Amino acid sequence: MGKIRALFTIIQMVITVTITIILMYIFKKQNRKIRIAWASMQMKLLGIKLEIQGSIDESADMYMMNHQSVMDIILFEYLFARNTAWVAKKEIADIPWFGRILKAPDMIIVERESKSALVKLLKDTKEKLAQNRPIAIFPEGTRTDGKRLRKFKVGAKMMANKYKLKVQPLVIIGSLEILDSKKLTQTPGTVKIICLPTVQAQKGSTWYEDTEVLMAETLAKELK
């Protein structure tokens, strides 16, 4: 049944993402509302229930999350009130047509192999913050098996320190069980999101390393 639901999910996402991209190009000023509507529909179609511990800090400049499934993006597109700017890999943006799901809403696209990537990342971050768009980033840099955190990359730390951002860590539990793109299974269920206290980024402090430890310990505790 999980694989049948996964097949249905792939088909409906191809259709709904296509429609969403078209609508975002036609109604550029309404792209956030369009994304929220799409994410809300996915929540219903995939049978997702949320258990939220704590609350999302709407005054935060950056949100850092662990990453295990494409579901993670859907969850926060549904939850975030503001027009969040996601940091995403260029490989995704380069996917024919479907990469426009990042380009149409003007997300931050990172070319990891480029020497100028960090300069562009900082420039794009400054631009989005000036537009009152908080940044959303997966500091691990890639998806995991959901059982542990990988070592954080340096990008999120440099962005936050450069612009002295208020950063809220968010821990996601169970999204891979809902939608696993590798095993091609989709199962309705509950995803838990733990909203940890917002921290102030500051050069010379260990806030980033401390946050990495806190997120790892929180995830491990929840999975016991």
Side-chain angles (χ1 to χ4, degrees):
M1 182 60 72
K3 291 190 179 296
I4 294 174
R5 291 186 64 91
L7 179 60
F8 167 78
T9 297
I10 292 170
I11 294 171
Q12 69 88 358
M13 279 195 176
V14 167
I15 295 170
T16 59
V17 167
T18 295
I19 294 171
T20 299
I21 291 171
I22 293 171
L23 289 176
M24 283 195 292
Y25 275 114
I26 295 174
F27 305 103
K28 292 183 179 180
K29 293 183 179 180
Q30 304 299 322
N31 86 78
R32 182 69 192 112
K33 291 182 179 179
I34 293 167
R35 283 154 45 206
I36 291 174
W38 175 78
S40 299
M41 178 174 62
Q42 295 304 317
M43 296 290 287
K44 293 179 181 177
L45 289 175
L46 302 182
I48 304 165
K49 295 181 180 179
L50 288 177
E51 179 184 346
I52 301 177
Q53 182 177 313
S55 59
I56 293 174
D57 184 354
E58 295 296 343
S59 70
D61 305 304
M62 175 186 282
Y63 301 99
M64 298 199 315
M65 297 146 284
N66 58 312
H67 190 24
Q68 53 195 286
S69 169
V70 68
M71 271 306 313
D72 303 330
I73 298 170
I74 294 172
L75 292 170
F76 287 104
E77 280 291 85
Y78 172 75
L79 286 172
F80 287 143
R82 297 160 66 196
N83 186 18
T84 309
W86 290 87
V87 178
K89 295 182 290 187
K90 186 175 183 293
E91 295 92 318
I92 300 174
D94 287 343
I95 296 173
W97 176 250
F98 294 101
R100 294 180 182 272
I101 197 69
L102 297 174
K103 296 174 182 177
D106 195 22
M107 299 303 185
I108 298 175
I109 299 170
V110 180
E111 187 174 359
R112 293 187 297 179
E113 301 302 322
S114 170
K115 293 182 180 179
S116 61
L118 183 58
V119 174
K120 183 179 184 301
L121 175 62
L122 294 174
K123 179 183 176 182
D124 289 347
T125 299
K126 183 178 181 180
E127 178 184 287
K128 299 302 181 288
L129 292 169
Q131 297 169 357
N132 195 32
R133 295 182 66 180
I135 310 301
I137 188 169
F138 300 116
E140 297 163 286
T142 189
R143 282 181 284 180
T144 71
D145 59 6
K147 297 178 181 178
R148 60 187 179 278
L149 257 64
R150 290 193 180 189
K151 182 69 178 176
F152 284 4
K153 304 293 185 181
V154 72
K157 179 181 181 179
M158 296 190 72
M159 294 161 68
N161 283 347
K162 173 73 173 177
Y163 301 112
K164 300 178 182 178
L165 305 183
K166 290 172 60 180
V167 183
Q168 183 174 33
L170 303 162
V171 178
I172 307 167
I173 296 101
S175 62
L176 188 61
E177 283 70 31
I178 300 292
L179 182 59
D180 190 328
S181 58
K182 291 184 178 180
K183 295 180 179 179
L184 284 179
T185 59
Q186 197 281 303
T187 307
T190 300
V191 177
K192 185 173 183 178
I193 297 173
I194 301 175
C195 306
L196 297 171
T198 301
V199 296
Q200 178 63 57
Q202 185 176 359
K203 290 182 181 179
S205 74
T206 59
W207 75 269
Y208 195 63
E209 293 75 15
D210 294 343
T211 298
E212 180 180 353
V213 170
L214 178 59
M215 290 179 67
E217 290 178 344
T218 301
L219 179 62
K221 180 181 178 181
E222 287 294 324
L223 293 178
K224 283 185 178 180

